Amino acid sequence: MQNIPHTPVLYREVIETFKNIDGGIIIDCTMGYGGHSSMILEANPNIELIAIDQDQTAIDFSTKRLEEFGDRISIRKGRFSSVIKDIIAEYGVEKIRGVLADIGVSSLQLDQKDRGFSYSSDNLDMRMDKEATLSAENVVNEYSTDELENILLEYGELRNYKKIASAIVNARPFASAKELSEKTKHLMPHGKKIHPATLLMQAIRIEVNDELGELKSLLQSIEDSEFCDAIVAIISFHSLEDRIVKQTYSRWSKNCICPAEAMRCTCSRDNAKGKILSKKPITAQDDELKENPRSRSAKMRIFHYER
């Protein structure tokens, strides 16, 4: 195995998920440092892999890191929800055998303080794509109180979202994540293993990058494609993402699509797109939890798309 800056989460479980794929293309929707991509290419010598990332820094790093795999690896820049449509149109559904998405901020982005993802950063940015127009600074300093309340409640699931939103509005403008964290820490939940500002940063980051919208669009693109035989594995890091994946997989696995209020089934009862391979979310093993704290909240769900 190559020496990589950070071992990707659920690395053994990802390798196990795709181990029986002996040809075709696997799409890594969230390349980052290229850890998952590298491991999949090593474990599956007969497959090709297309990796997607919207972060040019990640692309520059991983292009060099993955060059040893030659023409077996192709890297595309952009949001995975749209790029995957282009890939499917280019290669056809028959050739796509696997899709992996590690949703959320990457270790590469967290490691770079100037990207503004950390509560200790000296700026407010949080853009996964540096060319995007909306930044954390825009959200924190320009959103109305109502808009801030909505994202703090929906994306951060913070109970005292009204007080936090009011405190932000009254104390702005903010120039750094560090300043924002300090000015609001007295309102944040304490006593957990995570930093008090984590949920606040999470809510702002999700808004800046439209992360839930991206996930929904990715799942819709997969659904629209009607894959013939493909493994879909989604790794999420909080309940909002996991709920979307769980509900989508459940819908994909149903034979009957008649409305709940129907007196009797009138559909063909053969509408299932495949089967769920993980009845419960797959989580990190004890040794990984000790080595990589980020894996603590990682959950992977797997679906076998077969039509």
Side-chain angles (χ1 to χ4, degrees):
M1 185 183 300
Q2 289 183 328
N3 180 30
I4 57 178
H6 288 273
T7 303
V9 298
L10 301 177
Y11 60 95
R12 285 172 297 215
E13 291 77 7
V14 168
I15 293 173
E16 179 71 16
T17 296
F18 297 105
K19 70 176 183 179
N20 293 324
I21 298 179
D22 56 2
I25 294 170
I26 294 176
I27 303 172
D28 182 353
C29 294
T30 46
M31 175 181 63
Y33 274 128
H36 283 135
S37 292
S38 175
M39 291 176 175
I40 292 171
L41 285 162
E42 288 177 354
N44 305 67
N46 296 319
I47 63 101
E48 297 175 38
L49 188 139
I50 301 175
I52 304 170
D53 210 293
Q54 59 181 309
D55 189 335
Q56 189 60 47
T57 302
I59 291 173
D60 293 342
F61 180 93
S62 293
T63 295
K64 183 174 292 186
R65 181 187 176 322
L66 299 171
E67 64 184 358
E68 68 172 280
F69 297 103
D71 58 8
R72 292 179 59 210
I73 176 71
S74 172
I75 298 174
R76 308 288 179 91
K77 185 178 190 298
R79 288 178 175 261
F80 53 70
S81 63
S82 57
V83 175
I84 194 171
K85 296 177 184 177
D86 299 333
I87 295 171
I88 293 168
E90 181 178 349
Y91 291 93
V93 292
E94 294 84 1
K95 199 166 183 183
I96 309 299
R97 300 294 311 284
V99 177
L100 171 68
D102 179 353
I103 304 299
V105 64
S106 72
S107 295
L108 184 149
Q109 291 158 341
L110 286 172
D111 288 346
Q112 297 178 324
K113 288 292 181 68
D114 63 330
R115 300 297 297 273
F117 285 97
S118 170
Y119 56 83
S120 60
S121 296
D122 291 324
N123 64 359
L124 269 172
D125 194 332
M126 298 191 189
R127 292 174 297 170
M128 293 180 180
D129 179 358
K130 289 183 178 180
E131 297 177 3
T133 55
L134 183 67
S135 72
E137 185 174 4
N138 300 129
V139 172
V140 171
N141 292 325
E142 298 172 13
Y143 271 31
S144 69
T145 303
D146 287 344
E147 289 173 322
L148 287 173
E149 287 178 359
N150 287 336
I151 68 169
L152 294 174
L153 174 61
E154 184 175 354
Y155 300 154
E157 298 180 300
L158 289 157
R159 293 183 179 181
N160 57 339
Y161 62 96
K162 288 183 177 289
K163 288 184 178 180
I164 298 170
S166 178
I168 291 173
V169 171
N170 290 332
R172 63 191 187 188
F174 290 92
S176 71
K178 184 188 298 182
E179 182 186 4
L180 177 64
S181 173
E182 284 296 315
K183 290 284 183 66
T184 58
K185 67 180 181 181
H186 64 288
L187 297 170
M188 295 301 159
H190 289 73
K192 296 184 177 181
K193 294 181 180 179
I194 61 174
H195 188 277
T198 299
L199 296 179
L200 171 62
M201 297 295 130
Q202 170 186 292
I204 297 169
R205 192 198 75 223
I206 290 174
E207 173 69 11
V208 168
N209 298 287
D210 188 26
E211 292 177 31
L212 299 186
E214 277 290 286
L215 174 57
K216 291 176 183 177
S217 295
L218 171 65
L219 293 168
Q220 188 62 54
S221 295
I222 293 171
E223 183 173 339
D224 293 342
S225 73
E226 292 289 345
F227 285 137
C228 301
D229 179 17
I231 299 294
V232 179
I234 309 291
I235 301 173
S236 62
F237 288 87
H238 58 76
S239 59
L240 297 173
E241 297 167 339
D242 184 56
R243 191 180 306 132
I244 291 170
V245 177
K246 180 181 180 180
Q247 292 173 348
T248 301
Y249 284 6
S250 177
R251 180 167 52 79
W252 286 355
S253 66
K254 288 182 178 178
N255 280 309
C256 177
I257 56 173
C258 293
E261 63 272 15
M263 297 293 291
R264 62 186 180 85
C265 177
T266 57
C267 72
S268 58
R269 293 192 65 84
D270 65 347
N271 294 287
K273 302 179 185 303
K275 58 186 177 182
I276 298 171
L277 300 185
S278 52
K279 292 184 178 180
K280 294 182 178 180
I282 297 168
T283 56
Q285 299 176 35
D286 289 343
D287 60 336
E288 182 180 353
L289 291 171
K290 291 179 181 178
E291 295 172 4
N292 182 7
R294 183 172 179 255
S295 67
R296 181 178 60 243
S297 53
K299 295 180 179 180
M300 181 167 68
R301 294 186 186 270
I302 311 168
F303 188 90
H304 186 193
Y305 219 104
E306 47 185 359
R307 291 287 284 177

Short mmCIF file of all heavy atoms in Angstrom, two decimals, residues 127-179:
data_model
loop_
_atom_site.label_atom_id
_atom_site.label_comp_id
_atom_site.label_asym_id
_atom_site.label_seq_id
_atom_site.Cartn_x
_atom_site.Cartn_y
_atom_site.Cartn_z
N ARG A 127 -15.05 27.22 1.18
CA ARG A 127 -15.43 26.79 -0.16
C ARG A 127 -14.61 25.57 -0.57
O ARG A 127 -13.38 25.60 -0.54
CB ARG A 127 -15.19 27.91 -1.17
CG ARG A 127 -16.11 29.12 -1.03
CD ARG A 127 -15.69 30.23 -1.96
NE ARG A 127 -14.34 30.70 -1.64
CZ ARG A 127 -13.65 31.54 -2.40
NH1 ARG A 127 -14.18 32.00 -3.53
NH2 ARG A 127 -12.44 31.93 -2.03
N MET A 128 -15.29 24.50 -0.95
CA MET A 128 -14.59 23.33 -1.48
C MET A 128 -14.01 23.64 -2.86
O MET A 128 -12.98 23.12 -3.24
CB MET A 128 -15.53 22.14 -1.53
CG MET A 128 -15.96 21.65 -0.16
SD MET A 128 -17.08 20.24 -0.25
CE MET A 128 -17.38 19.95 1.50
N ASP A 129 -14.71 24.48 -3.59
CA ASP A 129 -14.22 24.97 -4.87
C ASP A 129 -13.86 26.44 -4.68
O ASP A 129 -14.73 27.28 -4.46
CB ASP A 129 -15.31 24.82 -5.94
CG ASP A 129 -14.86 25.35 -7.30
OD1 ASP A 129 -13.74 25.87 -7.40
OD2 ASP A 129 -15.66 25.24 -8.25
N LYS A 130 -12.58 26.77 -4.76
CA LYS A 130 -12.12 28.13 -4.51
C LYS A 130 -12.70 29.14 -5.50
O LYS A 130 -12.66 30.35 -5.26
CB LYS A 130 -10.59 28.20 -4.55
CG LYS A 130 -9.91 27.52 -3.37
CD LYS A 130 -8.40 27.71 -3.46
CE LYS A 130 -7.69 27.08 -2.27
NZ LYS A 130 -6.21 27.27 -2.35
N GLU A 131 -13.22 28.64 -6.64
CA GLU A 131 -13.78 29.54 -7.64
C GLU A 131 -15.26 29.83 -7.39
O GLU A 131 -15.86 30.65 -8.10
CB GLU A 131 -13.59 28.93 -9.03
CG GLU A 131 -12.12 28.77 -9.42
CD GLU A 131 -11.95 28.10 -10.76
OE1 GLU A 131 -12.98 27.81 -11.41
OE2 GLU A 131 -10.80 27.86 -11.18
N ALA A 132 -15.86 29.17 -6.42
CA ALA A 132 -17.28 29.40 -6.10
C ALA A 132 -17.45 30.81 -5.55
O ALA A 132 -16.54 31.38 -4.93
CB ALA A 132 -17.77 28.37 -5.10
N THR A 133 -18.63 31.39 -5.74
CA THR A 133 -18.86 32.77 -5.33
C THR A 133 -19.27 32.89 -3.86
O THR A 133 -18.91 33.86 -3.19
CB THR A 133 -19.94 33.41 -6.20
OG1 THR A 133 -21.13 32.60 -6.15
CG2 THR A 133 -19.48 33.52 -7.64
N LEU A 134 -20.03 31.93 -3.35
CA LEU A 134 -20.51 32.00 -1.97
C LEU A 134 -19.47 31.44 -1.01
O LEU A 134 -19.00 30.32 -1.17
CB LEU A 134 -21.82 31.22 -1.82
CG LEU A 134 -22.48 31.28 -0.43
CD1 LEU A 134 -22.97 32.69 -0.12
CD2 LEU A 134 -23.62 30.27 -0.34
N SER A 135 -19.11 32.22 0.02
CA SER A 135 -18.15 31.77 1.04
C SER A 135 -18.79 31.87 2.41
O SER A 135 -19.88 32.45 2.58
CB SER A 135 -16.89 32.63 1.00
OG SER A 135 -17.15 33.93 1.51
N ALA A 136 -18.10 31.35 3.41
CA ALA A 136 -18.59 31.44 4.79
C ALA A 136 -18.68 32.89 5.24
O ALA A 136 -19.55 33.25 6.03
CB ALA A 136 -17.67 30.65 5.72
N GLU A 137 -17.79 33.72 4.73
CA GLU A 137 -17.83 35.14 5.08
C GLU A 137 -19.14 35.77 4.63
O GLU A 137 -19.73 36.58 5.34
CB GLU A 137 -16.64 35.86 4.47
CG GLU A 137 -16.54 37.31 4.90
CD GLU A 137 -15.27 37.99 4.40
OE1 GLU A 137 -14.51 37.35 3.65
OE2 GLU A 137 -15.04 39.15 4.79
N ASN A 138 -19.60 35.40 3.44
CA ASN A 138 -20.89 35.90 2.95
C ASN A 138 -22.03 35.46 3.84
O ASN A 138 -22.90 36.24 4.21
CB ASN A 138 -21.15 35.42 1.52
CG ASN A 138 -20.11 35.87 0.53
OD1 ASN A 138 -19.56 35.06 -0.21
ND2 ASN A 138 -19.81 37.17 0.52
N VAL A 139 -22.03 34.18 4.19
CA VAL A 139 -23.10 33.62 5.01
C VAL A 139 -23.15 34.29 6.38
O VAL A 139 -24.20 34.76 6.84
CB VAL A 139 -22.93 32.09 5.17
CG1 VAL A 139 -23.94 31.54 6.17
CG2 VAL A 139 -23.09 31.39 3.82
N VAL A 140 -22.01 34.34 7.04
CA VAL A 140 -21.96 34.87 8.42
C VAL A 140 -22.24 36.37 8.47
O VAL A 140 -22.96 36.84 9.36
CB VAL A 140 -20.58 34.57 9.04
CG1 VAL A 140 -20.42 35.29 10.38
CG2 VAL A 140 -20.40 33.06 9.23
N ASN A 141 -21.72 37.11 7.52
CA ASN A 141 -21.82 38.57 7.60
C ASN A 141 -22.96 39.19 6.81
O ASN A 141 -23.29 40.36 7.01
CB ASN A 141 -20.50 39.20 7.12
CG ASN A 141 -19.35 38.93 8.07
OD1 ASN A 141 -19.54 38.89 9.28
ND2 ASN A 141 -18.17 38.74 7.52
N GLU A 142 -23.60 38.41 5.92
CA GLU A 142 -24.62 39.00 5.06
C GLU A 142 -26.00 38.36 5.19
O GLU A 142 -27.00 38.98 4.83
CB GLU A 142 -24.16 38.93 3.60
CG GLU A 142 -22.88 39.70 3.34
CD GLU A 142 -22.33 39.46 1.94
OE1 GLU A 142 -23.07 38.90 1.09
OE2 GLU A 142 -21.15 39.83 1.69
N TYR A 143 -26.08 37.14 5.68
CA TYR A 143 -27.38 36.48 5.79
C TYR A 143 -28.24 37.19 6.85
O TYR A 143 -27.72 37.68 7.86
CB TYR A 143 -27.21 35.02 6.18
CG TYR A 143 -27.05 34.08 5.00
CD1 TYR A 143 -26.44 34.50 3.82
CD2 TYR A 143 -27.50 32.77 5.06
CE1 TYR A 143 -26.28 33.63 2.75
CE2 TYR A 143 -27.35 31.90 4.00
CZ TYR A 143 -26.74 32.33 2.85
OH TYR A 143 -26.60 31.46 1.78
N SER A 144 -29.54 37.19 6.62
CA SER A 144 -30.47 37.76 7.61
C SER A 144 -30.54 36.85 8.83
O SER A 144 -30.10 35.69 8.79
CB SER A 144 -31.86 37.90 6.99
OG SER A 144 -32.43 36.62 6.76
N THR A 145 -31.13 37.36 9.89
CA THR A 145 -31.29 36.55 11.10
C THR A 145 -32.11 35.29 10.80
O THR A 145 -31.76 34.20 11.26
CB THR A 145 -32.00 37.37 12.20
OG1 THR A 145 -31.24 38.55 12.47
CG2 THR A 145 -32.12 36.56 13.48
N ASP A 146 -33.19 35.44 10.05
CA ASP A 146 -34.03 34.29 9.70
C ASP A 146 -33.27 33.26 8.90
O ASP A 146 -33.40 32.05 9.14
CB ASP A 146 -35.26 34.74 8.90
CG ASP A 146 -36.29 35.46 9.75
OD1 ASP A 146 -36.20 35.34 10.99
OD2 ASP A 146 -37.16 36.14 9.19
N GLU A 147 -32.46 33.71 7.96
CA GLU A 147 -31.68 32.78 7.13
C GLU A 147 -30.66 32.03 7.99
O GLU A 147 -30.46 30.81 7.83
CB GLU A 147 -30.98 33.54 6.01
CG GLU A 147 -31.92 34.03 4.93
CD GLU A 147 -31.23 34.92 3.92
OE1 GLU A 147 -30.36 35.74 4.33
OE2 GLU A 147 -31.55 34.84 2.73
N LEU A 148 -30.00 32.74 8.90
CA LEU A 148 -29.05 32.08 9.80
C LEU A 148 -29.75 31.08 10.71
O LEU A 148 -29.25 29.97 10.94
CB LEU A 148 -28.31 33.12 10.65
CG LEU A 148 -27.26 33.97 9.92
CD1 LEU A 148 -26.75 35.07 10.84
CD2 LEU A 148 -26.10 33.10 9.43
N GLU A 149 -30.91 31.47 11.24
CA GLU A 149 -31.67 30.55 12.08
C GLU A 149 -31.99 29.26 11.33
O GLU A 149 -31.88 28.16 11.89
CB GLU A 149 -32.96 31.22 12.55
CG GLU A 149 -32.76 32.29 13.61
CD GLU A 149 -34.06 32.94 14.01
OE1 GLU A 149 -35.12 32.58 13.45
OE2 GLU A 149 -34.05 33.83 14.89
N ASN A 150 -32.38 29.38 10.08
CA ASN A 150 -32.77 28.21 9.30
C ASN A 150 -31.61 27.25 9.12
O ASN A 150 -31.78 26.02 9.28
CB ASN A 150 -33.31 28.64 7.93
CG ASN A 150 -34.68 29.27 8.02
OD1 ASN A 150 -35.43 29.02 8.95
ND2 ASN A 150 -35.03 30.08 7.04
N ILE A 151 -30.42 27.76 8.79
CA ILE A 151 -29.31 26.83 8.55
C ILE A 151 -28.77 26.26 9.86
O ILE A 151 -28.32 25.10 9.90
CB ILE A 151 -28.19 27.49 7.72
CG1 ILE A 151 -27.46 28.58 8.50
CG2 ILE A 151 -28.70 28.00 6.40
CD1 ILE A 151 -26.19 29.05 7.82
N LEU A 152 -28.82 27.04 10.94
CA LEU A 152 -28.35 26.53 12.23
C LEU A 152 -29.26 25.42 12.75
O LEU A 152 -28.79 24.45 13.36
CB LEU A 152 -28.28 27.67 13.26
CG LEU A 152 -27.24 28.76 13.00
CD1 LEU A 152 -27.37 29.87 14.02
CD2 LEU A 152 -25.83 28.18 13.02
N LEU A 153 -30.55 25.55 12.49
CA LEU A 153 -31.50 24.52 12.91
C LEU A 153 -31.44 23.31 12.00
O LEU A 153 -31.33 22.17 12.47
CB LEU A 153 -32.91 25.10 12.93
CG LEU A 153 -34.05 24.10 13.23
CD1 LEU A 153 -33.87 23.47 14.61
CD2 LEU A 153 -35.41 24.77 13.10
N GLU A 154 -31.50 23.55 10.70
CA GLU A 154 -31.60 22.44 9.74
C GLU A 154 -30.29 21.70 9.56
O GLU A 154 -30.26 20.47 9.53
CB GLU A 154 -32.09 22.96 8.39
CG GLU A 154 -32.32 21.86 7.37
CD GLU A 154 -32.90 22.37 6.07
OE1 GLU A 154 -33.23 23.57 6.00
OE2 GLU A 154 -33.03 21.58 5.11
N TYR A 155 -29.19 22.43 9.44
CA TYR A 155 -27.90 21.80 9.13
C TYR A 155 -27.04 21.55 10.37
O TYR A 155 -26.19 20.66 10.36
CB TYR A 155 -27.10 22.66 8.16
CG TYR A 155 -27.79 22.90 6.84
CD1 TYR A 155 -27.50 24.02 6.07
CD2 TYR A 155 -28.74 22.01 6.34
CE1 TYR A 155 -28.13 24.25 4.86
CE2 TYR A 155 -29.38 22.23 5.13
CZ TYR A 155 -29.06 23.35 4.40
OH TYR A 155 -29.69 23.59 3.20
N GLY A 156 -27.24 22.34 11.42
CA GLY A 156 -26.46 22.16 12.63
C GLY A 156 -27.22 21.45 13.73
O GLY A 156 -26.63 20.97 14.69
N GLU A 157 -28.56 21.41 13.57
CA GLU A 157 -29.45 20.80 14.57
C GLU A 157 -29.16 21.35 15.97
O GLU A 157 -29.11 20.61 16.95
CB GLU A 157 -29.32 19.27 14.53
CG GLU A 157 -29.74 18.68 13.19
CD GLU A 157 -29.63 17.17 13.11
OE1 GLU A 157 -28.51 16.65 13.30
OE2 GLU A 157 -30.65 16.51 12.86
N LEU A 158 -28.94 22.65 16.03
CA LEU A 158 -28.65 23.34 17.28
C LEU A 158 -29.95 23.80 17.93
O LEU A 158 -30.75 24.52 17.31
CB LEU A 158 -27.73 24.53 17.02
CG LEU A 158 -26.29 24.16 16.65
CD1 LEU A 158 -25.62 25.28 15.88
CD2 LEU A 158 -25.50 23.80 17.89
N ARG A 159 -30.16 23.43 19.17
CA ARG A 159 -31.42 23.73 19.84
C ARG A 159 -31.63 25.22 20.06
O ARG A 159 -32.73 25.73 19.92
CB ARG A 159 -31.48 22.99 21.19
CG ARG A 159 -31.57 21.47 21.04
CD ARG A 159 -31.69 20.83 22.39
NE ARG A 159 -31.79 19.38 22.28
CZ ARG A 159 -31.92 18.56 23.33
NH1 ARG A 159 -31.95 19.07 24.56
NH2 ARG A 159 -32.00 17.26 23.15
N ASN A 160 -30.57 25.92 20.44
CA ASN A 160 -30.70 27.35 20.70
C ASN A 160 -30.28 28.17 19.48
O ASN A 160 -29.55 29.17 19.58
CB ASN A 160 -29.89 27.75 21.94
CG ASN A 160 -28.42 27.39 21.80
OD1 ASN A 160 -28.06 26.53 21.00
ND2 ASN A 160 -27.58 28.04 22.58
N TYR A 161 -30.76 27.76 18.34
CA TYR A 161 -30.39 28.38 17.07
C TYR A 161 -30.75 29.86 17.01
O TYR A 161 -30.05 30.65 16.38
CB TYR A 161 -31.02 27.62 15.90
CG TYR A 161 -32.53 27.60 15.90
CD1 TYR A 161 -33.26 28.53 15.16
CD2 TYR A 161 -33.23 26.64 16.63
CE1 TYR A 161 -34.65 28.52 15.16
CE2 TYR A 161 -34.62 26.62 16.64
CZ TYR A 161 -35.32 27.56 15.89
OH TYR A 161 -36.70 27.55 15.90
N LYS A 162 -31.85 30.24 17.66
CA LYS A 162 -32.26 31.65 17.65
C LYS A 162 -31.25 32.53 18.38
O LYS A 162 -30.88 33.61 17.90
CB LYS A 162 -33.66 31.79 18.26
CG LYS A 162 -34.80 31.26 17.41
CD LYS A 162 -36.14 31.52 18.06
CE LYS A 162 -37.28 31.06 17.17
NZ LYS A 162 -37.42 31.95 15.98
N LYS A 163 -30.79 32.08 19.53
CA LYS A 163 -29.83 32.86 20.31
C LYS A 163 -28.50 32.96 19.57
O LYS A 163 -27.86 34.02 19.59
CB LYS A 163 -29.62 32.21 21.68
CG LYS A 163 -30.80 32.36 22.63
CD LYS A 163 -30.47 31.78 23.99
CE LYS A 163 -31.62 31.96 24.97
NZ LYS A 163 -31.31 31.40 26.30
N ILE A 164 -28.09 31.87 18.94
CA ILE A 164 -26.81 31.88 18.22
C ILE A 164 -26.88 32.82 17.02
O ILE A 164 -25.97 33.63 16.79
CB ILE A 164 -26.43 30.45 17.76
CG1 ILE A 164 -26.26 29.53 18.97
CG2 ILE A 164 -25.15 30.48 16.94
CD1 ILE A 164 -26.12 28.07 18.61
N ALA A 165 -27.98 32.73 16.28
CA ALA A 165 -28.15 33.61 15.11
C ALA A 165 -28.15 35.08 15.54
O ALA A 165 -27.51 35.94 14.91
CB ALA A 165 -29.44 33.27 14.38
N SER A 166 -28.84 35.38 16.63
CA SER A 166 -28.90 36.75 17.14
C SER A 166 -27.52 37.23 17.57
O SER A 166 -27.13 38.38 17.30
CB SER A 166 -29.88 36.82 18.31
OG SER A 166 -29.94 38.12 18.85
N ALA A 167 -26.76 36.35 18.23
CA ALA A 167 -25.42 36.72 18.68
C ALA A 167 -24.50 37.01 17.50
O ALA A 167 -23.68 37.94 17.55
CB ALA A 167 -24.83 35.60 19.54
N ILE A 168 -24.63 36.24 16.44
CA ILE A 168 -23.80 36.45 15.25
C ILE A 168 -24.13 37.80 14.61
O ILE A 168 -23.24 38.58 14.28
CB ILE A 168 -24.01 35.30 14.24
CG1 ILE A 168 -23.42 33.99 14.78
CG2 ILE A 168 -23.39 35.64 12.89
CD1 ILE A 168 -23.73 32.76 13.94
N VAL A 169 -25.41 38.06 14.44
CA VAL A 169 -25.84 39.32 13.81
C VAL A 169 -25.38 40.52 14.62
O VAL A 169 -24.91 41.52 14.07
CB VAL A 169 -27.37 39.32 13.61
CG1 VAL A 169 -27.85 40.70 13.17
CG2 VAL A 169 -27.78 38.27 12.60
N ASN A 170 -25.48 40.43 15.94
CA ASN A 170 -25.12 41.56 16.80
C ASN A 170 -23.62 41.80 16.89
O ASN A 170 -23.19 42.93 17.19
CB ASN A 170 -25.68 41.33 18.21
CG ASN A 170 -27.20 41.43 18.25
OD1 ASN A 170 -27.80 42.14 17.45
ND2 ASN A 170 -27.81 40.73 19.19
N ALA A 171 -22.83 40.77 16.64
CA ALA A 171 -21.37 40.91 16.79
C ALA A 171 -20.63 41.07 15.46
O ALA A 171 -19.42 41.32 15.46
CB ALA A 171 -20.81 39.69 17.54
N ARG A 172 -21.31 40.92 14.35
CA ARG A 172 -20.61 40.98 13.07
C ARG A 172 -20.27 42.42 12.68
O ARG A 172 -20.88 43.35 13.23
CB ARG A 172 -21.44 40.28 11.98
CG ARG A 172 -22.79 40.85 11.64
CD ARG A 172 -23.54 39.87 10.75
NE ARG A 172 -24.78 40.42 10.24
CZ ARG A 172 -25.70 39.70 9.56
NH1 ARG A 172 -25.48 38.42 9.33
NH2 ARG A 172 -26.80 40.27 9.11
N PRO A 173 -19.27 42.59 11.80
CA PRO A 173 -18.71 41.58 10.91
C PRO A 173 -17.61 40.73 11.56
O PRO A 173 -16.91 41.20 12.46
CB PRO A 173 -18.12 42.42 9.77
CG PRO A 173 -17.72 43.69 10.44
CD PRO A 173 -18.77 43.95 11.47
N PHE A 174 -17.50 39.49 11.07
CA PHE A 174 -16.45 38.56 11.50
C PHE A 174 -15.45 38.41 10.38
O PHE A 174 -15.81 38.35 9.20
CB PHE A 174 -17.05 37.20 11.84
CG PHE A 174 -17.89 37.18 13.08
CD1 PHE A 174 -19.27 37.39 13.00
CD2 PHE A 174 -17.32 36.97 14.32
CE1 PHE A 174 -20.06 37.38 14.14
CE2 PHE A 174 -18.11 36.95 15.46
CZ PHE A 174 -19.48 37.16 15.38
N ALA A 175 -14.17 38.32 10.74
CA ALA A 175 -13.12 38.17 9.75
C ALA A 175 -12.50 36.77 9.75
O ALA A 175 -11.78 36.41 8.83
CB ALA A 175 -12.03 39.21 9.98
N SER A 176 -12.77 35.99 10.81
CA SER A 176 -12.15 34.67 10.90
C SER A 176 -13.06 33.67 11.59
O SER A 176 -13.95 34.05 12.37
CB SER A 176 -10.83 34.75 11.67
OG SER A 176 -11.07 34.99 13.05
N ALA A 177 -12.82 32.39 11.30
CA ALA A 177 -13.56 31.32 11.97
C ALA A 177 -13.21 31.30 13.46
O ALA A 177 -14.05 30.99 14.30
CB ALA A 177 -13.23 29.98 11.32
N LYS A 178 -11.96 31.64 13.76
CA LYS A 178 -11.52 31.67 15.16
C LYS A 178 -12.32 32.70 15.96
O LYS A 178 -12.78 32.43 17.07
CB LYS A 178 -10.03 32.01 15.22
CG LYS A 178 -9.43 31.97 16.61
CD LYS A 178 -8.00 32.51 16.61
CE LYS A 178 -7.10 31.67 15.75
NZ LYS A 178 -5.69 32.16 15.78
N GLU A 179 -12.51 33.87 15.37
CA GLU A 179 -13.27 34.93 16.03
C GLU A 179 -14.73 34.52 16.20
O GLU A 179 -15.33 34.74 17.26
CB GLU A 179 -13.19 36.21 15.21
CG GLU A 179 -13.91 37.40 15.83
CD GLU A 179 -13.93 38.60 14.91
OE1 GLU A 179 -13.44 38.50 13.76
OE2 GLU A 179 -14.44 39.65 15.35
#
